[in-house]
Amino acid sequence: MTFIGIQSLITIISHITFILITFWALQGLRTDSLIKKYHIQQAKILYIFLSIAIGYTVSSFFILSSQNLVQLFG
């Protein structure tokens, strides 16, 4: 495998891991008072979109930071 292939695999695994961690963390929020009655499906979709947005951002931050550290010390 080339370096780009390994880097892409690590990036995908990192994104998925942080999205799952964010989804798990969002489940701890008490949002019962914010959700209207009979709008449970919309709330679930919102959780998924928030998880993707936050997880992707956090993962990108860690990946960029680690690449910068490698260049600094490498």
Side-chain angles (χ1 to χ4, degrees):
M1 268 186 143
T2 64
F3 176 74
I4 294 174
I6 293 172
Q7 185 179 8
S8 298
L9 184 64
I10 291 171
T11 301
I12 289 171
I13 291 171
S14 174
H15 287 337
I16 291 172
T17 302
F18 278 103
I19 288 169
L20 291 174
I21 291 170
T22 305
F23 185 78
W24 173 74
L26 285 175
Q27 296 298 314
L29 293 177
R30 180 176 287 263
T31 57
D32 298 341
S33 61
L34 298 175
I35 299 171
K36 294 180 182 179
K37 268 189 175 178
Y38 309 113
H39 292 277
I40 303 301
Q41 293 296 350
Q42 287 93 340
K44 288 180 182 180
I45 296 296
L46 180 63
Y47 273 136
I48 291 170
F49 284 157
L50 282 174
S51 298
I52 292 170
I54 295 170
Y56 177 82
T57 304
V58 172
S59 176
S60 297
F61 170 77
F62 278 108
I63 289 170
L64 256 148
S65 297
S66 66
Q67 287 175 351
N68 289 338
L69 284 174
V70 167
Q71 290 178 0
L72 180 66
F73 294 115

